[in-house]
Amino acid sequence: MGHMSVSHVYRQFAASPEKVDITGAQMVLVMKLTAFCWNVQDGHLPDKDLADIQRERAIRKLPSLLDYAGYVLFFPALFAGPAFDYVDYKSWIETSMFTLPPGTDPSQAPRTRKKRKIPRSGTPAAMKAIAGLAWIFLFLKFSVWYNADLVLGDQYMQYSFLRRVWILEMLGFSTRLKYYGVWSLTEGACILSGLGYRGIDPKTGRVQWNRLQNVNPWGIESAQNSRAYLENWNMNTNAWLRNYMYLRVTPKGKKPGFRASLATFVTSAFWHGFYPGYYLSFVLAAFVQTAAKNVRRYVRPFFLTPDGQRPTPAKRYYDLATYFATQSVFCFTTAPFVLLTFSGSLRVWARVYFYAVLMIVASMVFFASPAKGWLVQELDKRNRPALAKRRSQETLGSPLLGLPNDPGRDVDEAVREVREEVEARRRRGGSATMPKGEELKERVEAKLGREL
């Protein structure tokens, strides 16, 4: 991670396409090596101390130098991913990955070539290669029409507001095309080797080749909420952050809280690099998640039947509104990821009047007002009590790409931990008192690691 950070800094200050950039490969290696270390650590612990996923991926015996080098430097995924765990690589080279599970009809076994155990993968690999080349071709076309120079230039301000927003959307789309292309090609290479094999779909009986899928373009371009948008992007990085950061910093027997969210956020931010644009996008996206959660929790149920199982006729209008809201907000939020610089990002945001920031602020003010209580009362009147109970038990899951799911909840948990710490000191005979005002703010900021 330290070596990669030095490379990130060098790339940032060199700022020249003529320089060879190795940070992409290093980012993949960081995921692989940290996962490998945690898996080795798990291999030294008794099974009773491990979660199911930890037991499945624990390394009980260190591999040979050749196997280790083959895993770390696996060529199809070396430069751009996808990252994967050593147990997947081991089951591939030992071909145990392709053994049919007990109870599977032998007639459903995938076709192989002669005595090979690896199923034929030429067709799905070729389809991925064709898709990847198509995405790259579109990127070469769209990047000429929509690029950073356009939104930073004087011509951009000659357009109407709606057209400026459209151009911002297309800037994000043209940038995503590059990643769709590269990740499709690398996934296709992994499929061709056999490592992308995921078994047989019990419903369709067809072979699945999506073990190492890293992006779902349709899921992103059709996303109607922030979680759907983020969970379909850089999927293997999401898994890495969840399994080897978010869940690892949580003490056994406790639920992940703000410390786990903060550690995951910091790791994700440093892993991406140090351009100011990354951090502008990360911070704003965290609040986008909060606003989207509130809408989904308190507004969406009005467009479902009282039991929450079926959509009402008006649900199509809700879906359409949330689709346009999600796509327009995220094209604004991710613009700094493309522009990278602080001044350039703020200039482009100002040119569209900070519309996404204003939408998020309006949403947070609305849900912090008595209107939220009114919505809850109306939902309780309209829906079954079981639905209200299910809403109160709603879980947010692990952060996606390291983004905190709910910054407000993180602050509340920080205050609660300060209170518990004070109570613990009192029980030990100390004279600690609950801090107030500025002192409480300072204590909470110290726990969060950032200013409020």
Side-chain angles (χ1 to χ4, degrees):
M1 189 70 127
H3 187 200
M4 181 189 66
S5 297
V6 171
S7 298
H8 275 313
V9 173
Y10 174 78
R11 176 174 72 105
Q12 183 171 342
F13 283 95
S16 173
E18 298 176 355
K19 303 292 183 181
V20 176
D21 180 18
I22 63 171
T23 56
Q26 285 185 304
M27 293 167 77
V28 176
L29 289 175
V30 164
M31 288 193 286
K32 279 188 171 182
L33 294 176
T34 52
F36 183 86
C37 292
W38 277 115
N39 295 153
V40 171
Q41 167 68 12
D42 292 339
H44 289 81
L45 298 176
D47 285 347
K48 63 182 181 64
D49 293 339
L50 302 175
D52 291 341
I53 191 171
Q54 293 172 335
R55 280 193 293 271
E56 293 171 1
R57 303 188 174 281
I59 298 175
R60 306 294 180 182
K61 180 181 177 182
L62 287 177
S64 67
L65 181 60
L66 179 61
D67 287 347
Y68 175 75
Y71 162 66
V72 173
L73 302 176
F74 183 70
F75 186 75
L78 178 60
F79 296 106
F84 48 89
D85 290 336
Y86 178 76
V87 292
D88 294 327
Y89 177 79
K90 182 180 179 181
S91 65
W92 171 67
I93 58 176
E94 294 178 349
T95 68
S96 59
M97 173 188 293
F98 310 104
T99 302
L100 291 177
T104 303
D105 186 353
S107 64
Q108 291 186 332
R111 293 185 303 166
T112 60
R113 187 179 299 277
K114 296 183 179 179
K115 295 184 178 181
R116 294 185 67 196
K117 290 187 177 181
I118 299 178
R120 294 186 177 185
S121 57
T123 299
M127 295 300 293
K128 281 292 179 181
I130 292 171
L133 293 174
W135 289 124
I136 291 176
F137 174 78
L138 291 175
F139 165 71
L140 294 175
K141 290 295 184 180
F142 277 79
S143 61
V144 174
W145 303 327
Y146 304 100
N147 49 59
D149 292 337
L150 174 61
V151 296
L152 291 172
D154 296 333
Q155 180 64 30
Y156 185 60
M157 291 305 295
Q158 303 301 317
Y159 301 121
S160 66
F161 170 73
L162 290 179
R163 187 168 180 184
R164 292 201 298 271
V165 173
W166 168 253
I167 291 173
L168 205 59
E169 167 65 31
M170 295 308 295
L171 173 66
F173 176 68
S174 63
T175 303
R176 291 193 296 274
L177 289 172
K178 172 176 59 177
Y179 293 96
Y180 293 165
V182 171
W183 286 337
S184 293
L185 289 175
T186 57
E187 184 187 354
C190 292
I191 291 174
L192 188 62
S193 72
L195 190 56
Y197 180 78
R198 200 185 185 117
I200 299 174
D201 188 332
K203 295 182 179 179
T204 64
R206 295 182 177 180
V207 177
Q208 300 179 101
W209 292 99
N210 62 343
R211 176 185 292 272
L212 299 180
Q213 183 180 10
N214 205 32
V215 67
N216 178 7
W218 175 250
I220 294 170
E221 303 305 331
S222 64
Q224 298 174 9
N225 58 72
S226 62
R227 189 162 190 87
Y229 194 101
L230 294 172
E231 70 184 1
N232 286 294
W233 175 263
N234 214 348
M235 297 154 74
N236 290 289
T237 299
N238 278 326
W240 171 66
L241 289 170
R242 179 182 65 249
N243 296 331
Y244 299 109
M245 181 52 61
Y246 184 71
L247 298 177
R248 296 288 176 166
V249 299
T250 304
K252 185 180 179 181
K254 292 188 176 182
K255 293 182 178 180
F258 84 93
R259 291 183 180 180
S261 297
L262 178 63
T264 307
F265 173 81
V266 172
T267 301
S268 180
F270 272 74
W271 180 78
H272 279 90
F274 303 102
Y275 279 104
Y278 294 158
Y279 295 85
L280 288 174
S281 291
F282 270 118
V283 172
L284 183 58
F287 289 97
V288 170
Q289 290 249 77
T290 300
K293 176 211 67 175
N294 286 330
V295 171
R296 186 172 181 82
R297 180 181 293 179
Y298 299 112
V299 177
R300 184 174 181 270
F302 285 106
F303 297 90
L304 302 175
T305 54
D307 61 1
Q309 299 299 315
R310 297 180 304 279
T312 65
K315 177 67 161 48
R316 68 188 70 177
Y317 303 110
Y318 171 85
D319 291 342
L320 192 62
T322 53
Y323 169 76
F324 282 109
T326 299
Q327 298 297 328
S328 62
V329 167
F330 267 99
C331 78
F332 178 96
T333 303
T334 57
F337 243 85
V338 181
L339 302 170
L340 299 177
T341 65
F342 184 79
S343 59
S345 300
L346 290 186
R347 185 192 311 169
V348 171
W349 278 1
R351 288 181 166 187
V352 289
Y353 311 123
F354 295 95
Y355 71 87
V357 175
L358 296 178
M359 290 170 63
I360 294 167
V361 171
S363 171
M364 297 184 71
V365 170
F366 178 83
F367 287 105
S369 71
K372 176 181 174 180
W374 176 80
L375 285 177
V376 172
Q377 291 178 2
E378 292 299 313
L379 284 176
D380 290 341
K381 291 178 184 178
R382 178 182 182 274
N383 300 337
R384 296 186 307 148
L387 186 61
K389 181 179 180 181
R390 188 159 63 247
R391 186 176 66 243
S392 67
Q393 294 174 341
E394 184 183 59
T395 177
L396 293 172
S398 59
L400 294 169
L401 295 181
L403 298 174
N405 284 310
D406 190 344
R409 187 184 67 167
D410 289 347
V411 173
D412 292 339
E413 289 183 356
V415 173
R416 177 178 54 79
E417 289 199 10
V418 171
R419 184 178 291 110
E420 290 176 353
E421 183 179 329
V422 170
E423 293 298 328
R425 291 183 180 182
R426 285 178 178 173
R427 287 193 296 269
R428 292 195 297 266
S431 58
T433 59
M434 183 64 187
K436 298 180 180 180
E438 286 298 321
E439 183 182 358
L440 176 61
K441 180 183 177 183
E442 291 175 0
R443 295 282 290 275
V444 171
E445 288 178 343
K447 283 188 170 291
L448 289 175
R450 65 177 187 267
E451 294 183 358
L452 298 176

